[in-house]
């Protein structure tokens, strides 16, 4: 099965179980200031879970465009280095709005995986929230999964790879204990099972999360987080299409599935045309570029343009990270924007906006890339000079002020600097960078007022920008995708 068939098999399965097939919402959440980008299938149903919005159905299923490159769920740094993370991915989901709960959710998931997709049962593991005896019993007694493959896991806040079985879309919003399904790719890949000290996530890969939505986390009058019960217990699930496809096509990483084959080949072609000569086909940089064109193209198609704040800034960081990786492989002229055509041909059937916006997306990304090529050489020169001095002194940590200056003055973001240093076994003084950034924010506050005086929108928040520059808002209005 190719990814397109897997997507439609999922939707049709849940349609046959009484679920309404609902279209993906844009990657830019229309009315949620707590969210930078759509990060899960449940986002468009947030108000339905909260009881503020009613739909003519109590069961729904979607294939949702998601971006995880900022906010609570941020995989930008993982991309290229794990087998399973993307910045843009499709999340397949089924939802119950006060209809079925744990038992049916688990039964549907198991039936779809083992009877429709025919996955071998002995390669599947499940996790449940530590105190969730009910879910544990369903897995061990009703489904019949051996207890040694059902793992109880609490909330491991802060651990980078370790599982966390209490799911939240952000710091506030609907949330609840969850039960996840993992697939074991076998001992050729390193890493231990979920919940073990050497859990890594690439051998035992999480494919599907079933969230038992029960609470709304919010900030009360005194500024403390509190949890209210939702009007009705509900279900929200999410399964990465690319991960399920990796399992079904039995390949080592998400980047070997059919969706990425053409894109990766085209990435090599455009890099060569831009001056790269010897490209290692195993280079993480190729994955980074093939991944990031998807995030950038979908983001621009949904109304964002590169800028220095909010969503536009995240888009700029993703585009620049891709371009820097191309530069690293030897590209010296713009190459990235050329992949828009390849992507539109590959995914335009499922997402027609890629075709209708194709010319605009190409132009926006090309303009951004031309600008960045002018500054990248400059920034690399400054960084190389600093690295030469560090080498002489034996220092392994780059000064935070310099990293910030590269970011702020030369348009060379921290993640790019961190990438260059990581490749050489060095790191950045992030505390120093953050301190410099804090000083800069004070000045930005004054700049924010100045912008508002000119009719631009800026929320003035100290840590999170929810504002967009005028161009982006106007641009988005033209596309009709963003209403503010
Ligand atoms: P992981 O622990 O592997 O980072 P997660 O627990 O953060 O995944 P969830 O928030 O539970 O992921 O999202 C539901 C599902 O979406 C996951 O089970 C996975 O299949 C998919 N998914 C999550 N993040 C990504 C990503 N960055 N790229 C591709 N698929 C993803
Ligand atoms: Mg994650
Ligand atoms: Mg996880
Ligand atoms: Mg998860």
């Amino acid at each position: 099965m190719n990814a397109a068939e897997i997507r439609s098999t999922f939707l049709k399965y849940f349609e046959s179980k009484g679920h309404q097939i609902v279209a993906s919402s844009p990657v830019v959440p229309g009315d949620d200031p707590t969210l930078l980008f759509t990060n899960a299938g449940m986002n468009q149903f947030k108000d339905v879970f909260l009881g503020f919005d009613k739909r003519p159905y109590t069961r729904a299923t979607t294939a949702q465009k998601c971006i995880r490159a900022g906010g609570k769920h941020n995989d930008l740094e993982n991309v290229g280095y794990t087998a399973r993370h993307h910045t843009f991915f499709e999340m397949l989901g089924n939802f119950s709005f006060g209809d079925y709960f744990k038992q049916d959710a688990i039964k549907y998931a198991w039936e779809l995986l083992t009877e429709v997709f025919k996955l071998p049962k002995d390669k599947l593991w499940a996790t449940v929230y530590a105190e969730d005896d009910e879910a544990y019993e369903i897995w061990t007694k009703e489904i019949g999964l051996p207890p040694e493959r059902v793992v109880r896991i609490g909330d491991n806040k802060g651990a980078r790879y370790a599982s966390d079985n209490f799911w939240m879309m952000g710091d506030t919003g609907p949330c609840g204990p969850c039960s996840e399904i993992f697939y074991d790719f076998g001992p050729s890949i390193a890493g231990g099972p979920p919940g073990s000290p050497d859990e890594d996530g690439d051998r035992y890969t999480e494919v599907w999360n079933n969230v038992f939505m029960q609470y709304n986390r919010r900030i009360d009058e005194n500024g403390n987080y509190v949890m209210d019960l939702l009007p009705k217990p509900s279900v929200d699930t999410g399964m990465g299409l690319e991960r399920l496809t990796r399992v079904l096509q039995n390949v080592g990483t998400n980047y070997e599935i059919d969706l990425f084959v053409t894109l990766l080949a085209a990435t090599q072609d455009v890099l060569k045309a831009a001056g790269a000569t010897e490209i290692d086909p195993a280079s993480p940089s190729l994955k980074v570029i093939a991944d990031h064109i998807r995030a950038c193209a979908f983001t621009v198609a949904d109304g964002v343009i590169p800028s220095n704040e909010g969503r536009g800034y995240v888009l700029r960081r993703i585009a620049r990270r891709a371009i820097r990786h191309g530069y690293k492989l030897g590209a010296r002229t713009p190459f990235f924007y050329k992949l828009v055509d390849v992507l539109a041909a590959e995914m335009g059937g499922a997402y027609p906006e890629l075709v209708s916006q194709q010319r605009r997306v190409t132009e926006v990304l090309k303009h951004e890339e031309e600008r960045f090529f002018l500054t990248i050489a400059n920034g690399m020169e400054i960084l190389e000079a600093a690295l030469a001095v560090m080498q002489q002194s034996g220092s392994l940590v780059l000064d935070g002020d310099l990293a910030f200056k590269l970011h702020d003055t030369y348009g060379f973001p921290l993640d790019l600097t961190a990438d260059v240093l990581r490749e050489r076994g060095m790191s950045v003084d992030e505390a120093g960078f953050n301190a410099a950034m804090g000083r800069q924010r004070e000045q930005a506050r004054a700049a924010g007022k100045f912008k508002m005086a000119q009719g631009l929108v800026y929320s003035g928040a100290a840590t999170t920008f929810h504002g967009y520059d005028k161009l982006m808002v106007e641009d988005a209005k033209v596309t009709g995708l963003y209403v503010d």
Side-chain angles (χ1 to χ4, degrees), residues 38-202:
T38 300
N39 64 13
M42 57 73 64
N43 294 166
Q44 68 165 316
F45 302 116
K46 182 177 168 183
D47 282 350
V48 187
F49 286 118
L50 294 174
F52 299 147
D53 185 10
K54 285 261 178 298
R55 300 282 166 101
Y57 43 81
T58 55
R59 300 176 171 212
T61 182
T62 60
Q64 175 66 49
K65 303 183 283 185
C66 292
I67 298 215
R68 292 194 171 183
K72 178 168 172 55
H73 296 277
N74 185 356
D75 290 322
L76 185 62
E77 297 280 328
N78 289 332
V79 170
Y81 302 96
T82 71
R84 70 189 193 282
H85 287 109
H86 304 294
T87 50
F88 170 91
F89 65 99
E90 289 177 70
M91 192 184 286
L92 304 169
N94 55 290
F95 307 92
S96 152
F97 309 116
D99 190 321
Y100 59 88
F101 199 42
K102 296 183 190 183
Q103 193 178 42
D104 283 339
I106 292 174
K107 284 185 174 167
Y108 288 147
W110 187 252
E111 181 180 71
L112 179 59
L113 290 179
T114 61
E115 284 172 37
V116 180
F117 289 124
K118 305 218 181 301
L119 293 186
K121 293 179 181 164
D122 59 349
K123 298 215 168 162
L124 294 170
W125 288 60
T127 63
V128 298
Y129 186 58
E131 292 129 54
D132 192 348
D133 295 332
E134 192 186 348
Y136 186 85
E137 303 271 297
I138 296 170
W139 278 116
T140 52
K141 302 225 166 91
E142 295 181 43
I143 301 292
L145 208 58
E148 59 275 19
R149 282 195 275 127
V150 184
V151 187
R152 292 176 184 263
I153 289 176
D155 7 1
N156 298 325
K157 301 271 170 297
R160 186 158 179 241
Y161 287 125
S163 294
D164 174 347
N165 277 33
F166 193 91
W167 197 87
M168 302 193 272
M169 65 170 271
D171 290 333
T172 59
C175 54
C178 62
S179 175
E180 300 191 316
I181 302 169
F182 286 68
Y183 182 82
D184 177 8
F185 280 91
S188 63
I189 302 172
S196 71
D198 59 338
E199 173 181 8
D200 169 84
D202 279 349

Side-chain angles (χ1 to χ4, degrees), residues 357-373:
Q357 301 283 321
Q358 193 168 343
R359 249 193 60 204
R360 208 184 118 261
V361 172
T362 304
E363 275 162 21
V364 168
L365 292 182
K366 186 177 180 201
H367 178 68
E368 177 68 8
E369 194 172 5
E370 283 166 350
R371 279 184 58 181
F372 191 48
F373 261 99

